[in-house]
Amino acid sequence: MAQLSLSRRLRRTPFTEGVLAAGVTGYTVYNHMLLPTVFRSVEEDYHHLKSAVQVWDVSCQRQVEVRGPDAGRLVQMLTPRDLRGMLPGQCYYMPIVDETGGMLNDPVVVKLAEDRWWISIADSDLLYWVKGIAHGYRLDVLVDEPDVSPLAVQGPRADDLMAEVFGDAVCDLRFFRFGLFGFGGRQMVVARSGYSKQGGFEIYLEGGDLGMPLWNALMEAGRSLDVRAGCPNLIERIESGLLSYGNDMTDDNTPHECGLGRFCNTATAIGCIGRDALLRVAKEGPVQQIRPLAISGAAVPAVEEFWPVMAGHRRVGRVSSAAFSPDFDVNVAIAMIRMTHWDPETALTVMAPDGPREAQVQERFWN
């Protein structure tokens, strides 16, 4: 495979020094930054994530900060999720849609105050969409990208590690809540959240100067816990049904097609730009939807392009992410399947790069 040429357009992070020293062996480009994808191997990283604790450089989850008197109104305009009951100190998973109801991003939004929000984005240039909405509607807000770099601590021993560095009180955080905790003479937003189902936290580092001191403190405190540098793991995220924007969904898909209808309160999300389009979708229902798919045979290769899913000679869907799961001893996959063939136990054929594979729709994801 051709080498990726590095330049200043691929931004370093406050933790890059630690990632390199930990022996990263694979990257992807995410929001114009390098996101680690492999350290020892995808399989070894997977087993370790499920048994111990890892520190992830996820600085690529850039923040879109919205602050000012109209901040709450602007954030509600972006999403079909009703935000009226959201309080400062809470985090929400929040589909963001365009005027047609198509997915533009699926971030976690952090409500710091009534007039200050962070939108922790997946891989897309959402900043410009938000700026355009603010300008077009002449809202009294400032929209920019702050110097905030998230660092995730994930795994079953995450609470033990975080308590060593931030004190026992951090373990009292409820899921998708955050608090302010001191490190290096500075208060940091720490949330109980993360891109895995293994449990953990995300630390929102403001300013890069404390990046390596924070990284080193976590690594030193975690020696007895078998801490390692890690990253979002392909196998674990597919088992858990964690979608990847740009891989499993794009702006061609509505939240309902992506199985995110439970995060859409379209009838009451007054002001959402895509509300009218999604009201029609909610009434009629999607004609295709994300489904877990088990694929037979030996370990599948990487998914570089969509794999067609066939029912006889008819194409009824596509696979967007797939990997062999050591724990479940099967190839696990995320697929978009037509409603005619999305029922559990439906037998299908996946046209993988190495040939046709038998597959079966699953009732639920594995984790």
Side-chain angles (χ1 to χ4, degrees):
M1 185 174 180
Q3 182 178 349
L4 183 67
S5 297
L6 303 182
S7 73
R8 290 185 63 252
R9 288 185 292 107
L10 289 177
R11 296 176 291 177
R12 292 171 63 91
T13 83
F15 315 108
T16 296
E17 179 184 331
V19 168
L20 292 171
V24 62
T25 59
Y27 282 110
T28 189
V29 179
Y30 195 105
N31 281 329
H32 312 285
M33 303 187 84
L34 291 174
L35 169 64
T37 57
V38 185
F39 281 83
R40 302 191 180 187
S41 72
V42 174
E43 293 78 11
E44 187 172 348
D45 294 349
Y46 161 86
H47 288 301
H48 181 264
L49 171 62
K50 285 189 160 187
S51 63
V53 60
Q54 295 180 351
V55 178
W56 297 359
D57 178 4
V58 286
S59 302
C60 61
Q61 294 173 188
R62 304 311 298 162
Q63 308 305 300
V64 175
E65 182 169 308
V66 180
R67 62 185 186 275
D70 288 335
R73 179 186 172 194
L74 174 54
V75 179
Q76 184 63 83
M77 292 176 74
L78 304 175
T79 181
R81 183 163 189 180
D82 190 339
L83 304 178
R84 289 178 298 174
M86 187 178 184
L87 301 173
Q90 288 185 291
C91 311
Y92 273 15
Y93 181 73
M94 188 181 84
I96 290 182
V97 299
D98 63 15
E99 72 283 359
T100 70
M103 292 281 295
L104 293 178
N105 209 279
D106 67 326
V108 171
V109 64
V110 180
K111 187 173 182 178
L112 300 166
E114 293 295 337
D115 61 354
R116 188 182 181 210
W117 306 62
W118 285 343
I119 305 172
S120 189
I121 65 172
D123 185 26
S124 77
D125 290 311
L126 191 74
L127 176 67
Y128 305 120
W129 172 259
V130 182
K131 279 181 172 287
I133 299 300
H135 178 74
Y137 282 85
R138 299 182 180 276
L139 300 180
D140 188 5
V141 291
L142 179 63
V143 178
D144 62 9
E145 181 184 308
D147 184 12
V148 174
S149 301
L151 186 69
V153 177
Q154 299 288 294
R157 308 196 74 178
D159 280 51
D160 297 333
L161 177 54
M162 290 293 287
E164 287 289 332
V165 176
F166 291 98
D168 292 339
V170 75
C171 299
D172 295 332
L173 282 174
R174 294 164 57 196
F175 184 62
F176 264 42
R177 300 292 197 277
F178 71 85
L180 295 175
F181 294 87
F183 179 85
R186 189 178 305 166
Q187 293 292 103
M188 296 186 185
V189 170
V190 178
R192 188 179 284 277
S193 58
Y195 195 55
S196 84
K197 288 289 184 73
Q198 305 310 309
F201 302 81
E202 289 178 300
I203 307 162
Y204 290 79
L205 173 69
E206 288 192 73
D209 57 306
L210 285 181
M212 284 311 300
L214 175 60
W215 177 280
N216 291 333
L218 288 164
M219 288 299 180
E220 182 62 31
R223 284 179 180 270
S224 63
L225 304 173
D226 189 26
V227 68
R228 292 184 192 171
C231 54
N233 185 269
L234 174 66
I235 305 170
E236 195 272 344
R237 83 159 181 87
I238 297 173
E239 289 178 353
S240 303
L242 299 176
L243 305 185
S244 169
Y245 186 81
N247 283 317
D248 304 311
M249 54 187 168
T250 69
D251 59 0
D252 289 330
N253 304 117
T254 68
H256 298 277
E257 290 179 338
C258 301
L260 304 177
R262 65 191 183 279
F263 300 110
C264 298
N265 318 106
T266 313
T268 57
I270 306 301
C272 171
I273 286 173
R275 181 169 178 260
D276 289 345
L278 288 177
L279 282 172
R280 292 192 297 271
V281 172
K283 181 179 180 180
E284 299 168 3
V287 298
Q288 60 178 359
Q289 199 168 63
I290 290 286
R291 285 292 189 268
L293 202 63
I295 303 175
S296 66
V300 291
V303 179
E304 298 181 9
E305 300 288 346
F306 289 145
W307 298 349
V309 178
M310 310 296 293
H313 297 292
R314 180 185 175 196
R315 180 166 177 164
V316 296
R318 46 79 167 160
V319 169
S320 53
S321 298
F324 180 76
S325 165
D327 282 0
F328 294 96
D329 195 29
V330 70
N331 292 297
V332 296
I334 296 173
M336 185 74 76
I337 304 294
R338 300 282 297 181
M339 65 182 299
T340 52
H341 292 78
W342 71 25
D343 290 339
E345 300 185 9
T346 300
L348 298 168
T349 301
V350 172
M351 305 306 291
D354 56 359
R357 301 281 193 107
E358 294 180 358
Q360 186 181 75
V361 179
Q362 304 297 293
E363 184 174 358
R364 62 180 62 88
F365 284 95
W366 291 264
N367 276 342

